[in-house]
């Protein structure tokens, strides 16, 4: 899991990022200031909170962590005296909430979070000669940044040396993400703000397991990996709209931080571009 991965941003990487117009900032928990890593906009600091948010927002199930329904109108909440899925504390099992029932040790949403935490990382396939070439073009680290993809899709991170769960300590993870949020411009913007991540900002999507995906980008808009790469490019939008009654364009976004990398990608030959696609499909 990526709960406690350390962030590496050595000076050479920072200089390479600046040269390509890449910034990237962490989205932090407003409660304790720690870096959040989960969700499209890295809006959740733990996989437990990510699970509870999914239960509430995606399925309408309230929990100890998100006790209010998304729709708080009285007609929807009047008959709900407590969350749908809570830590079970009853002295008997008349409501299927018995504390001593061995099947009810923790709430379902917590068990869902535990399930996700202990999922193994996706296993890449053996690289073909073309995929090996694509890996070099994609970039491996600061000493070989390739066209620059690796400057955001960081190839390797390491979990902390000590953890209460031995299986998660000192683990090298090839998630291909810096876990930071970046401006991606109006082309990908969803106009949703979560924490410091504004309407055109997204956490760098981890690429591990990409070879098993059918659709790409945060909204699944394409099944064409080449089109997904092209969609990373976006110019700045005009910030004044004379037609609007207020003059301001509500979708006023700057350029995508990926523009420099996409320009590099576009200069490659068709065979080199295909090599990068072959590498990505191997993950």
């Amino acid at each position: 899991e990526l709960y406690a991965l350390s962030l590496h941003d050595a000076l050479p990487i920072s200089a390479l990022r600046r040269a390509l117009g890449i910034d990237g900032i962490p989205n932090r928990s407003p409660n304790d200031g720690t870096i959040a890593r989960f969700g499209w906009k890295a809006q959740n600091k733990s996989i437990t909170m990510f699970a509870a948010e999914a239960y509430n927002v995606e399925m309408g199930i309230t929990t100890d962590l998100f006790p209010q329904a998304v729709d708080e109108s009285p007609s929807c909440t009047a008959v709900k005296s407590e969350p749908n899925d809570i830590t079970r504390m009853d002295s008997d099992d008349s409501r299927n909430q018995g504390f001593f029932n061995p099947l009810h040790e923790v709430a379902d949403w917590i068990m869902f979070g535990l399930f996700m935490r202990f999922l193994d990382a996706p296993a890449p396939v053996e690289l073909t000669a073309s995929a090996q070439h694509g890996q070099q073009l994609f970039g491996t680290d600061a000493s070989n940044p390739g066209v620059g993809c690796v400057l955001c899709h960081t190839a390797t991170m390491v979990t902390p040396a000590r953890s209460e769960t031995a299986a998660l300590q000192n683990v090298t993870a090839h998630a291909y993400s810096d876990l930071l949020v970046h401006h991606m411009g109006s082309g990908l913007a969803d106009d949703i703000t979560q924490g410091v991540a504004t309407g055109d900002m997204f956490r760098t999507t981890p690429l591990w397991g990409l070879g098993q995906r059918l659709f790409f980008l945060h909204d699944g808009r394409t099944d064409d990996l080449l089109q997904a790469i092209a969609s990373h490019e976006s110019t700045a939008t005009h910030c004044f709209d004379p037609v609007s009654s207020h003059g301001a364009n509500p979708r006023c976004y700057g350029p995508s931080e990926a523009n420099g990398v996409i320009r590099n990608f576009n200069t490659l030959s068709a065979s080199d571009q295909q090599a990068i696609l072959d590498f990505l499909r191997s993950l």
Side-chain angles (χ1 to χ4, degrees):
E1 59 143 37
L2 302 182
Y3 179 75
L5 288 177
S6 56
L7 293 172
H8 301 296
D9 193 18
L11 182 59
I13 286 285
S14 297
L16 290 167
R17 285 179 169 178
R18 284 195 299 270
L20 286 171
I22 298 171
D23 187 12
I25 58 174
N27 204 349
R28 296 181 179 272
S29 165
N31 296 315
D32 58 11
T34 55
I35 294 174
R37 299 173 172 88
F38 299 95
W40 286 116
K41 293 176 180 274
Q43 70 271 19
N44 291 318
K45 65 167 293 178
S46 73
I47 206 164
T48 304
M49 184 173 289
F50 178 83
E53 181 192 53
Y55 261 58
N56 191 23
V57 176
E58 308 298 340
M59 297 184 289
I61 299 173
T62 52
T63 66
D64 304 81
L65 195 57
F66 286 84
Q68 285 82 34
V70 176
D71 185 348
E72 293 189 89
S73 59
S75 60
C76 291
T77 60
V79 298
K80 294 183 178 179
S81 60
E82 61 186 20
N84 303 124
D85 184 33
I86 62 174
T87 302
R88 298 164 174 90
M89 298 295 293
D90 285 4
S91 58
D92 60 56
D93 211 22
S94 59
R95 298 191 309 140
N96 197 35
Q97 303 277 18
F99 180 76
F100 294 103
N101 187 323
L103 298 179
H104 296 172
E105 292 177 356
V106 294
D108 294 343
W109 65 276
I110 296 179
M111 287 193 284
F112 178 61
L114 291 172
F115 165 74
M116 289 191 291
R117 175 169 293 178
F118 290 102
L119 287 173
D120 199 2
V125 301
E126 184 177 353
L127 298 182
T128 63
S130 176
Q132 289 178 9
H133 179 53
Q135 183 180 37
Q136 298 303 308
L137 293 171
F138 180 92
T140 56
D141 50 37
S143 64
N144 174 36
V147 297
C149 304
V150 76
L151 299 180
C152 291
H153 292 283
T154 306
T156 301
M157 289 186 177
V158 181
T159 60
R162 297 189 63 182
S163 171
E164 287 295 318
T165 305
L168 300 178
Q169 66 185 21
N170 202 31
V171 175
T172 299
H174 302 289
Y176 287 91
S177 172
D178 60 7
L179 303 178
L180 303 177
V181 291
H182 297 266
H183 289 283
M184 300 306 297
S186 59
L188 289 178
D190 62 2
D191 303 324
I192 296 172
T193 295
Q194 292 184 287
V196 300
T198 53
D200 73 325
M201 297 182 77
F202 297 93
R203 181 197 61 170
T204 303
T205 301
L207 298 181
W208 57 3
L210 183 143
Q212 302 173 42
R213 299 177 197 170
L214 297 178
F215 300 100
F216 307 107
L217 301 174
H218 66 280
D219 52 7
R221 67 179 62 179
T222 181
D223 60 359
D224 185 334
L225 187 52
L226 189 61
Q227 181 57 50
I229 293 173
S231 297
H232 282 57
E233 185 176 26
S234 184
T235 58
T237 54
H238 294 294
C239 294
F240 184 80
D241 182 2
V243 178
S244 170
S245 59
H246 301 289
N249 184 346
R251 303 190 84 249
C252 177
Y253 297 116
S256 168
E257 293 179 30
N259 283 349
V261 176
I262 300 304
R263 284 194 295 268
N264 289 343
F265 179 82
N266 289 339
T267 64
L268 297 176
S269 66
S271 61
D272 281 348
Q273 291 184 7
Q274 183 60 52
I276 291 181
L277 298 181
D278 292 341
F279 166 64
L280 294 173
R281 283 298 193 184
S282 73
L283 297 178

